[in-house]
């Protein structure tokens, strides 16, 4: 038998364009879903904050700790040849004299012919300094500009110019 309380219009309160609203009970599955999600939300929040003690900050820290570290920047260097020094002299004249001076005694950049080094005076150290630069101090990062071959040459020239260690 049909329920006489079903499908009774609410009255004109919610009428629009002649369409009215019934005042039926919500379906059980809907109410169940609604109550279920509310309970789940409460349980989840209690677990998240007070039982498992999870947080976005902790997850971020854990991911950062697990992430692979960037490899230590380094460059491979070969042996210095006289040809490299000759080629490096021209590269130096074209790119470096503005700051280190034509005589390499310094200006904006430091003297490259004495035995005092900020970043080390061995050949690999000079290659490293020229490749990666010291941007915060005004020494250009030459790696992307000159490329490894020209840097090997200009560093060979610098190394052979008196201060090399
Ligand atoms: C725009 C100016 C500028 C130019 C151009 C420049 N340098 Fe430098 N360079 C500097 C400065 C400034 C420093 C000092 C960095 C510091 O104080 O750490 C420096 C430092 C260096 C050092 C390390 C010196 C040390 O004592 O450890 C080397 C080697 C060097 N430059 C080589 C070169 C070469 C080779 C070139 C050309 C390819 C070049 N620089 C072009 C400004 C320049």
């Amino acid at each position: 038998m049909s329920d006489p309380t079903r499908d009774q219009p609410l009255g004109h309160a919610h009428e629009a364009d002649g369409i009215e609203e019934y005042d039926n009970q919500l379906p059980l599955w809907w109410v169940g879903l609604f109550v279920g999600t509310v309970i789940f939300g409460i349980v989840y929040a209690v677990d998240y904050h007070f039982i498992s003690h999870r947080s976005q900050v902790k997850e971020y820290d854990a991911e950062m700790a697990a992430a692979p570290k960037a490899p230590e920047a380094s460059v491979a260097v070969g042996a210095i040849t006289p040809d490299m020094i000759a080629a490096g002299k021209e590269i130096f004249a074209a790119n470096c004299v503005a700051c280190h001076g034509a005589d390499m005694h310094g200006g904006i950049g430091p003297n490259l012919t004495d035995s005092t080094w900020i970043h080390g005076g061995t050949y690999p150290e000079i290659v490293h300094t020229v490749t990666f630069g010291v941007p915060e101090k005004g020494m250009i990062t030459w790696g992307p500009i000159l490329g490894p071959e020209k840097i090997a040459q200009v560093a060979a020239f610098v190394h052979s110019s008196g201060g090399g260690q």
Side-chain angles (χ1 to χ4, degrees):
M1 289 294 285
S2 66
D3 181 350
T5 64
R6 272 190 70 83
D7 296 351
Q8 297 297 316
L10 271 175
H12 286 292
H14 290 101
E15 184 262 338
D17 290 342
I19 301 169
E20 291 194 44
E21 198 179 325
Y22 290 149
D23 187 21
N24 290 337
Q25 293 260 315
L26 292 161
L28 202 61
W29 66 263
W30 194 96
V31 178
L33 210 61
F34 174 70
V35 173
T37 52
V38 171
I39 292 171
F40 175 84
I42 293 168
V43 170
Y44 186 84
V46 169
D47 175 68
Y48 190 95
H49 291 290
F50 305 113
I51 298 173
S52 304
H53 295 290
R54 289 156 60 194
S55 79
Q56 290 183 350
V57 174
K58 284 184 195 162
E59 281 181 33
Y60 175 80
D61 288 345
E63 279 182 30
M64 292 310 283
K69 301 275 174 292
E72 178 67 17
S74 66
V75 283
V77 291
I80 298 175
T81 65
D83 283 354
M84 288 167 71
I85 296 170
K89 188 178 166 80
E90 284 169 28
I91 297 164
F92 192 92
N95 299 283
C96 318
V97 293
C99 294
H100 292 282
D103 58 1
M104 303 175 81
H105 285 175
I108 296 168
N111 187 336
L112 298 175
T113 62
D114 60 13
S115 57
T116 306
W117 293 93
I118 306 166
H119 302 285
T122 67
Y123 179 53
E125 285 169 327
I126 295 170
V127 171
H128 188 280
T129 307
V130 177
T131 303
F132 296 103
V134 191
E136 67 276 14
K137 296 283 179 61
M139 168 62 181
I140 294 162
T141 302
W142 290 99
I145 302 169
L146 294 178
E149 194 187 349
K150 285 185 175 171
I151 287 176
Q153 292 166 343
V154 77
F157 171 69
V158 171
H159 183 261
S160 68
S161 299
Q165 291 166 349

